[in-house]
């Protein structure tokens, strides 16, 4: 039955029960949104909205304290289990997210839309948390794309909608949804899965550099993200730098970065050299023309790459040997 009552899925407290009739606990690795969606489908609801006391506009609103208790009450699941499967913000600045007991940068999660592996859904109705990681663009089991939009109507899949079909009627686990990922994307997905304890090392890491294998999940995601990031001016007066992706398609970003990381350190230092030359010679692409601005961006970029080097090598010795000293390098321009 449809109880949405408008685009935002308004509640009708007189038409719904206080608790779900069909209940269960989340299974290992299941996302909270996927868990709620699974229970709503089982109980005959086509939206998650009725569960909450207030209308929810954005997915991250689900994970506030009052909603943890609300979900526990409605589902009958212990609140400690609910928290464990939720993306609760950690730290005073709100920069960290609890990801099944691991604290990662909240920017590494994408919960604006529903992310799925169609082949996995065909085998099981479980929507996995790992699919919400920005850098997890492929399924390590099937080698297929993680998708968040319908290939038929091109509409994004709504996290609020409790249904196995898109609004256009296309079934989510239809073969039409399936596309295949690059080898590097699959390798990245296998390693992330390994770091979360889902894979045996021999299966997850064929051909990957030994130094990459020793990274934590947080450090690995940091490295993947930094490799394809470039510094750009945000506020010239305050010399504030933000970073943006070198490629708009995150699949290209992941594939590009994994090609570098798997062949560390040779390709990494070639990559740093290439981007450094780009900033020095062709910074005008980012509307940076003055020498001082190029120097500032180069220092920002080398600083980011130095951070990658120290996470992998544990030292910047090789990095510093390659470019002498960052300040000396800038003075050469």
């Amino acid at each position: 039955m449809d109880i949405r009552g408008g685009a935002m899925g308004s509640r009708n407290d007189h038409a719904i029960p206080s608790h779900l009739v069909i209940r269960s606990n989340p299974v290992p690795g299941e996302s909270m949104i996927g868990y709620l969606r699974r229970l709503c489908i089982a109980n005959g609801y086509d939206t998650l909205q009725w569960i909450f006391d207030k209308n929810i506009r954005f997915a991250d609103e689900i994970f506030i304290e009052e909603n943890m208790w609300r979900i526990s009450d409605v589902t009958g699941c212990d609140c400690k289990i609910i928290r464990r499967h939720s993306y609760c913000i950690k730290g005073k600045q709100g920069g960290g997210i609890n990801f099944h007991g691991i604290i990662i940068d909240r920017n590494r999660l994408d919960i604006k839309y529903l992310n799925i592996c169609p082949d996995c859904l065909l085998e099981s109705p479980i929507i996995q948390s790992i699919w919400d990681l920005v850098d997890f663009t492929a399924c390590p089991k099937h080698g297929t794309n993680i998708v968040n939009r319908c290939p038929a109507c091109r509409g994004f899949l709504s996290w609020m909608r409790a249904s196995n079909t898109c609004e256009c009627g296309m079934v989510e686990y239809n073969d039409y949804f399936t596309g295949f990922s690059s080898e590097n994307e699959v390798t990245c997905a296998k390693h992330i899965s390994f770091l979360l304890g889902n894979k045996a090392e021999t299966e997850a890491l064929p051909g990957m550099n030994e130094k990459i294998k020793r990274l934590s999940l947080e450090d690995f995601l940091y490295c993947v993200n930094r490799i394809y990031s470039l510094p750009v001016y945000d506020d010239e007066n305050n010399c504030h730098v933000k970073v943006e992706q070198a490629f708009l398609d995150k699949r290209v970003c992941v594939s590009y970065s994994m090609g570098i990381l798997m062949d560390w350190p040779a390709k990494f230092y070639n990559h740093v050299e290439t981007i450094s030359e780009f900033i020095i010679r062709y910074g005008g692409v980012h509307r940076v023309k003055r020498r001082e601005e190029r120097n500032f961006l180069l220092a920002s970029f080398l600083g980011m790459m130095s951070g990658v080097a120290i996470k992998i090598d544990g030292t910047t010795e090789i990095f510093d040997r390659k470019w002498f000293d960052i300040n000396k390098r800038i003075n050469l321009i």
Side-chain angles (χ1 to χ4, degrees):
M1 61 180 173
D2 191 341
I3 58 168
R4 283 176 291 181
M8 290 310 302
S10 301
R11 291 169 46 83
N12 181 346
D13 292 328
H14 300 290
I16 60 177
S18 299
H19 307 285
L20 288 169
V21 175
I22 301 175
R23 302 185 181 188
S24 74
N25 286 347
V27 302
E30 185 173 23
S31 73
M32 178 51 54
I33 290 173
Y35 168 64
L36 296 178
R37 174 181 145 157
R38 177 165 61 85
L39 290 189
C40 283
I41 292 174
N43 285 273
Y45 298 99
D46 68 353
T47 178
L48 276 58
Q49 186 65 73
W50 74 271
I51 294 175
F52 305 100
D53 292 321
K54 300 177 182 178
N55 280 339
I56 305 292
R57 292 181 57 87
F58 305 105
D60 54 3
E61 295 178 38
I62 289 178
F63 307 110
I64 61 176
E65 180 69 18
E66 63 185 78
N67 284 335
M68 296 294 97
W69 291 104
R70 174 67 183 175
I71 292 171
S72 176
D73 181 50
V74 171
T75 63
C77 181
D78 187 276
C79 197
K80 291 181 180 179
I81 298 176
I82 296 298
R83 292 173 188 272
R84 198 156 55 236
H85 286 258
S86 299
Y87 305 143
C88 299
I89 297 174
K90 300 290 182 180
K92 295 181 179 180
Q93 303 301 321
I97 290 285
N98 169 51
F99 189 77
H100 293 277
I102 301 173
I103 306 303
I104 63 173
D105 190 310
R106 65 185 303 179
N107 292 328
R108 303 327 307 149
L109 279 179
D110 174 19
I111 54 175
K112 187 176 182 181
Y113 304 106
L114 187 67
N115 302 294
I116 63 171
C117 169
D119 287 353
C120 285
L121 282 185
L122 180 62
E123 299 172 359
S124 167
I126 304 303
I127 293 178
Q128 302 174 32
S129 291
I130 199 170
W131 297 344
D132 290 334
L133 290 173
V134 171
D135 305 299
F136 194 84
T137 60
C139 173
K141 180 179 180 181
H142 301 103
T144 54
N145 291 337
I146 303 300
V147 297
N148 62 8
R149 63 166 67 202
C150 174
C153 69
R154 301 304 297 165
F156 285 102
L157 303 177
S158 171
W159 58 268
M160 178 63 75
R161 182 178 170 82
S163 172
N164 290 323
T165 62
C166 173
E167 292 185 354
C168 74
M170 182 64 69
V171 179
E172 289 175 352
Y173 43 79
N174 189 294
D175 287 343
Y176 195 41
F177 269 76
T178 301
F180 293 95
S181 296
S182 71
E183 180 181 354
N184 282 344
E185 287 180 280
V186 175
T187 300
C188 183
K190 284 184 176 181
H191 189 55
I192 291 174
S193 186
F194 160 70
L195 291 173
L196 287 169
N198 299 334
K199 293 280 183 179
E201 183 171 350
T202 54
E203 179 185 1
L205 306 171
M208 186 173 284
N209 189 286
E210 290 296 327
K211 294 177 180 179
I212 307 298
K213 296 179 186 179
R214 294 196 294 265
L215 293 173
S216 66
L217 174 64
E218 183 180 13
D219 285 344
F220 179 71
L221 295 178
Y222 170 90
C223 290
V224 172
N225 180 47
R226 285 307 192 195
I227 284 291
Y228 59 72
S229 296
L230 293 176
V232 294
Y233 263 111
D234 191 26
D235 186 339
E236 295 183 20
N237 294 327
N238 293 326
C239 292
H240 179 68
V241 168
K242 63 179 180 179
V243 295
E244 67 178 21
Q245 293 183 353
F247 307 97
L248 295 179
D249 187 341
K250 65 180 181 181
R251 295 188 185 283
V252 178
C253 291
V254 172
S255 185
Y256 179 72
S257 59
M258 287 307 297
I260 293 172
L261 290 175
M262 284 190 294
D263 193 32
W264 173 275
K267 284 190 177 179
F268 171 72
Y269 290 122
N270 290 338
H271 167 69
V272 176
E273 187 74 42
T274 299
I275 303 303
S276 297
E277 291 299 324
F278 168 79
I279 295 174
I280 294 170
R281 300 180 184 279
Y282 304 104
V285 174
H286 291 300
R287 297 178 183 175
V288 178
K289 297 180 179 179
R290 292 183 305 187
R291 180 184 178 208
E292 294 81 4
E293 294 170 341
R294 292 200 304 272
N295 290 350
F296 182 62
L297 290 188
L298 182 59
S300 300
F301 173 71
L302 291 178
M304 288 194 301
M305 293 301 102
S306 178
V308 173
I310 198 168
K311 284 187 183 296
I312 296 179
D313 271 340
T315 176
T316 59
E317 181 180 350
I318 299 176
F319 189 92
D320 292 340
R321 192 187 310 146
K322 177 71 176 177
W323 282 281
F324 310 103
D325 174 83
I326 289 179
N327 292 325
K328 292 180 182 177
R329 172 72 177 177
I330 292 174
N331 291 335
L332 293 176
I333 302 174

